[in-house]
Coordinates of all heavy atoms in Angstrom, one line a residue:
F35 N 82.9 52.4 123.2 CA 83.5 53.8 123.4 C 84.9 53.7 124.0 O 85.4 54.7 124.5 CB 82.6 54.6 124.3 CG 81.2 54.8 123.8 CD1 80.2 53.9 124.1 CD2 80.9 55.9 123.0 CE1 78.9 54.1 123.6 CE2 79.6 56.1 122.5 CZ 78.6 55.2 122.8
I61 N 83.3 53.7 118.5 CA 83.0 55.1 118.5 C 84.1 55.8 119.2 O 84.5 55.5 120.4 CB 81.6 55.3 119.3 CG1 80.5 54.5 118.6 CG2 81.3 56.8 119.5 CD1 79.3 54.3 119.4
D62 N 84.6 56.9 118.6 CA 85.7 57.7 119.1 C 85.1 58.5 120.3 O 84.1 59.2 120.2 CB 86.1 58.7 118.0 CG 87.2 59.7 118.5 OD1 87.8 59.5 119.7 OD2 87.5 60.6 117.8
A63 N 85.7 58.3 121.5 CA 85.2 58.9 122.7 C 86.1 60.0 123.2 O 86.0 60.4 124.4 CB 85.0 57.8 123.8
Q64 N 87.0 60.5 122.4 CA 87.9 61.5 122.8 C 87.1 62.8 123.0 O 86.3 63.1 122.2 CB 89.0 61.8 121.8 CG 90.0 60.6 121.7 CD 90.7 60.3 122.9 OE1 91.3 61.2 123.6 NE2 90.8 59.0 123.3
I65 N 87.5 63.5 124.1 CA 86.8 64.8 124.3 C 87.9 65.9 124.4 O 89.1 65.6 124.7 CB 85.9 64.8 125.6 CG1 86.7 64.6 126.8 CG2 84.8 63.9 125.4 CD1 86.2 65.2 128.0
D66 N 87.5 67.1 124.2 CA 88.4 68.3 124.5 C 88.1 68.8 125.9 O 87.0 69.3 126.1 CB 88.1 69.4 123.4 CG 88.9 70.6 123.6 OD1 89.6 70.8 124.7 OD2 89.0 71.4 122.7
P67 N 89.0 68.6 126.8 CA 88.7 69.0 128.2 C 88.5 70.5 128.4 O 88.0 70.9 129.5 CB 89.9 68.5 129.0 CG 91.0 68.3 128.0 CD 90.3 68.1 126.7
Q68 N 88.8 71.3 127.4 CA 88.6 72.7 127.5 C 87.2 73.2 127.1 O 86.8 74.3 127.2 CB 89.7 73.5 126.7 CG 91.1 73.1 127.1 CD 91.4 73.4 128.5 OE1 91.0 74.4 129.1 NE2 92.0 72.4 129.2
Q69 N 86.4 72.2 126.5 CA 85.1 72.5 126.0 C 84.0 71.9 126.9 O 84.3 70.9 127.6 CB 85.0 72.0 124.6 CG 85.9 72.6 123.6 CD 85.8 74.2 123.5 OE1 84.6 74.7 123.4 NE2 86.9 74.9 123.5
P70 N 82.8 72.4 126.9 CA 81.7 71.7 127.6 C 81.5 70.3 127.2 O 81.6 69.9 126.0 CB 80.5 72.6 127.3 CG 81.0 73.9 126.9 CD 82.3 73.6 126.2
I71 N 81.3 69.4 128.2 CA 81.3 68.0 127.9 C 79.9 67.5 127.4 O 79.9 66.6 126.5 CB 81.6 67.2 129.2 CG1 81.9 65.7 128.8 CG2 80.5 67.3 130.3 CD1 82.6 64.9 129.9
V72 N 78.8 68.1 127.8 CA 77.5 67.6 127.3 C 77.4 67.6 125.8 O 77.0 66.5 125.2 CB 76.4 68.4 128.0 CG1 75.0 68.0 127.4 CG2 76.4 68.1 129.5
P73 N 77.7 68.7 125.1 CA 77.5 68.6 123.6 C 78.5 67.6 123.0 O 78.2 66.9 122.0 CB 77.7 70.0 123.1 CG 78.2 70.8 124.3 CD 78.0 70.0 125.5
Q74 N 79.7 67.4 123.6 CA 80.6 66.5 123.1 C 80.1 65.0 123.2 O 80.3 64.2 122.3 CB 82.0 66.6 123.8 CG 82.7 67.9 123.4 CD 84.0 68.0 124.1 OE1 85.0 67.5 123.6 NE2 84.1 68.7 125.2
V75 N 79.5 64.7 124.4 CA 79.0 63.4 124.6 C 77.8 63.1 123.7 O 77.6 62.0 123.2 CB 78.7 63.2 126.1 CG1 77.9 61.9 126.3 CG2 80.0 63.1 126.9
A76 N 76.9 64.1 123.5 CA 75.8 64.0 122.6 C 76.3 63.6 121.2 O 75.7 62.7 120.5 CB 74.9 65.2 122.6
A77 N 77.3 64.3 120.8 CA 77.9 64.0 119.5 C 78.5 62.6 119.4 O 78.4 61.9 118.4 CB 79.0 65.1 119.1
M78 N 79.1 62.2 120.5 CA 79.7 60.9 120.7 C 78.5 59.8 120.5 O 78.7 58.9 119.7 CB 80.3 60.7 122.1 CG 81.1 59.5 122.3 SD 81.6 59.4 124.1 CE 82.4 61.0 124.4
A79 N 77.4 60.0 121.1 CA 76.3 59.1 121.0 C 75.7 59.2 119.5 O 75.4 58.1 119.0 CB 75.2 59.5 122.0
R81 N 77.4 59.5 116.9 CA 78.3 58.7 116.1 C 78.0 57.2 116.1 O 78.5 56.5 115.2 CB 79.8 58.9 116.5 CG 80.3 60.3 116.1 CD 81.8 60.4 116.2 NE 82.3 60.4 117.6 CZ 82.4 61.5 118.4 NH1 82.0 62.7 117.9 NH2 82.9 61.4 119.6
P98 N 81.7 51.5 128.0 CA 81.8 53.0 128.2 C 83.2 53.5 128.1 O 84.2 52.7 128.2 CB 81.2 53.2 129.6 CG 81.4 51.9 130.3 CD 81.3 50.8 129.3
P99 N 83.3 54.8 127.9 CA 84.7 55.4 127.8 C 85.3 55.3 129.2 O 84.6 55.2 130.2 CB 84.4 56.8 127.4 CG 83.0 57.1 127.5 CD 82.3 55.8 127.6
S100 N 86.6 55.3 129.2 CA 87.3 55.2 130.5 C 87.3 56.5 131.3 O 87.3 56.4 132.6 CB 88.8 54.8 130.3 OG 88.9 53.6 129.6
L101 N 87.2 57.6 130.7 CA 87.1 58.9 131.4 C 85.8 59.0 132.2 O 84.7 58.9 131.6 CB 87.2 60.0 130.4 CG 87.3 61.4 131.0 CD1 88.6 61.6 131.9 CD2 87.3 62.5 129.9
N102 N 85.9 59.1 133.5 CA 84.7 59.1 134.4 C 83.7 60.1 134.0 O 82.5 59.7 133.9 CB 85.1 59.2 135.8 CG 85.8 60.5 136.2 OD1 86.1 61.3 135.3 ND2 86.1 60.6 137.4
F103 N 84.0 61.3 133.7 CA 82.9 62.3 133.4 C 82.3 62.0 132.1 O 81.1 62.2 131.9 CB 83.5 63.7 133.4 CG 83.7 64.2 134.8 CD1 85.0 64.2 135.4 CD2 82.7 64.6 135.6 CE1 85.2 64.7 136.7 CE2 82.9 65.0 136.9 CZ 84.1 65.1 137.5
S104 N 83.0 61.5 131.1 CA 82.4 61.1 129.9 C 81.5 59.9 130.1 O 80.4 59.9 129.5 CB 83.5 60.7 128.9 OG 84.3 61.8 128.5
A105 N 81.9 59.0 130.9 CA 81.1 57.8 131.1 C 79.8 58.1 131.8 O 78.7 57.6 131.3 CB 81.9 56.7 132.0
V106 N 79.8 58.9 132.8 CA 78.5 59.2 133.5 C 77.6 60.1 132.7 O 76.4 59.9 132.7 CB 78.7 59.8 134.9 CG1 79.5 58.8 135.8 CG2 79.5 61.1 134.9
T107 N 78.2 61.0 131.9 CA 77.4 61.9 131.1 C 76.8 61.0 129.9 O 75.6 61.2 129.6 CB 78.2 63.0 130.5 OG1 78.8 63.7 131.6 CG2 77.4 64.0 129.7
L108 N 77.6 60.1 129.4 CA 77.1 59.2 128.4 C 75.9 58.3 128.9 O 74.9 58.1 128.1 CB 78.2 58.3 127.8 CG 77.8 57.3 126.7 CD1 77.4 58.1 125.5 CD2 79.0 56.4 126.4

Side-chain angles (χ1 to χ4, degrees):
F35 296 91
I61 300 164
D62 178 12
Q64 295 297 316
I65 62 148
D66 179 346
Q68 303 306 314
Q69 300 299 317
I71 195 166
V72 173
Q74 292 183 82
V75 168
M78 191 185 303
R81 288 194 288 276
S100 298
L101 185 63
N102 59 355
F103 285 102
S104 292
V106 297
T107 306
L108 180 65

